[in-house]
Amino acid sequence: MKDGPNIVKIAALIGDQARAEALTALMADRALTATELAGIAGVTKQTISGHLAKLLDAGLIAVESQGRHRYFRLADQDVAHLLESLMGVAFRTGAVRLRSSPREPALRKARVCYDHLAGELGVQLYESLIDRGTLKADAEDLALTRDGQKFLEKLGVDTDALVSQRRLFCRACLDWSERRYHLAGALGAALLNHFISLGWARRVKDTRVVAFTVEGENSLKKQFGIGQAKSRTSSHDH
């Protein structure tokens, strides 16, 4: 008996080299034109247009028009979560690029995973939030504690406003480079925006890299007790 949704179509779409490169580029949560995506994927604009049409039809990406231009982005956080998970499996099984990008060390340090912080600092932040009792993880869920709500509101993060958003409040997202978890969802996005608004970090143009200043990284670690948390293995408490 064949149970559940058929994953063949989606898997085949993602498995194409040009489409995979385009989807990976859109993981930066920035809308890109077909011309920009063609350059990233190494194909002609005509070819990428065909690929984008298939991704649109499958609901993996969305498009909006502004004047003469059409801008493409990932359809939602679920697609981003799927891609990040695939990257983790690829990394674990040794499916790495033959020639690493010069940005690779920076990507591993801190990057955006759609709209939240990933990489070494993202994982350290998540584990600190668990260890200090800001977040509580049980067998099936991740939740903000009452003490955690007070702590975040003192920092200027309006958790009540986040709860009212039409998206998951928080969840653990497996980090492809660290093989541990970072924080996703509305709370993860709000914290990254908070760090940027404080001047601790900035998005590096045309990349997924999040560059923290020395002072910003020190403030992050001090504010959230990173480095004071008990050590963890690659396993997750869920």
Side-chain angles (χ1 to χ4, degrees):
M1 183 177 292
K2 300 177 181 179
D3 297 321
N6 190 337
I7 67 171
V8 172
K9 179 181 178 182
I10 298 299
L13 283 170
I14 296 174
D16 175 86
Q17 181 71 35
R19 291 194 288 265
E21 294 290 0
L23 288 168
T24 299
L26 295 175
M27 282 285 286
D29 190 28
R30 283 182 175 165
L32 298 172
T33 66
T35 300
E36 290 169 326
L37 290 169
I40 291 168
V43 298
T44 65
K45 185 177 178 180
Q46 183 178 6
T47 298
I48 201 68
S49 293
H51 288 311
L52 294 173
K54 291 178 180 179
L55 294 173
L56 277 167
D57 183 61
L60 292 177
I61 63 173
V63 64
E64 60 181 67
S65 298
Q66 291 185 10
R68 296 183 303 167
H69 298 288
R70 300 175 79 216
Y71 292 91
F72 299 87
R73 63 168 64 250
L74 294 185
D76 52 36
Q77 294 86 5
D78 284 341
V79 177
H81 188 65
L82 168 63
L83 295 172
E84 183 80 2
S85 297
L86 283 172
M87 290 176 189
V89 174
F91 184 70
R92 188 182 74 232
T93 57
V96 296
R97 297 180 187 273
L98 295 178
R99 183 175 298 176
S100 295
S101 162
R103 296 188 297 266
E104 193 82 8
L107 280 168
R108 294 191 183 208
K109 176 81 172 183
R111 66 181 179 274
V112 287
C113 175
Y114 192 63
D115 61 358
H116 52 271
L117 183 65
E120 178 186 337
L121 289 179
V123 167
Q124 290 178 351
L125 172 65
Y126 172 79
E127 293 179 351
S128 178
L129 291 171
I130 295 290
D131 285 336
R132 68 181 296 144
T134 302
L135 295 174
K136 181 181 180 182
D138 59 30
E140 297 181 354
D141 200 12
L142 185 67
L144 180 67
T145 64
R146 182 167 297 180
D147 286 343
Q149 182 178 12
K150 293 177 181 177
F151 167 69
L152 292 176
E153 288 180 348
K154 284 182 179 178
L155 298 182
V157 179
D158 188 347
T159 56
D160 288 334
L162 297 179
V163 170
S164 66
Q165 291 184 14
R166 295 179 59 183
R167 62 177 294 188
L168 193 65
F169 178 72
C170 63
R171 74 172 170 192
C173 182
L174 185 61
D175 194 279
W176 70 257
S177 59
E178 292 295 304
R179 299 297 303 141
R180 285 140 64 197
Y181 289 84
H182 60 245
L183 179 64
L187 180 57
L191 285 175
L192 176 57
N193 288 334
H194 183 65
F195 303 152
I196 291 173
S197 69
L198 290 173
W200 293 0
R202 63 180 177 84
R203 295 279 303 273
V204 178
K205 186 179 180 182
D206 298 329
T207 77
R208 294 175 63 192
V209 173
V210 176
F212 277 79
T213 65
V214 173
E215 295 81 4
E217 183 175 342
N218 289 337
S219 295
L220 173 73
K221 291 180 176 180
K222 182 178 180 181
Q223 191 88 73
F224 290 88
I226 294 172
Q228 304 169 21
K230 55 191 176 184
S231 61
R232 285 173 174 265
T233 64
S234 61
S235 62
H236 185 244
D237 288 347
H238 281 199

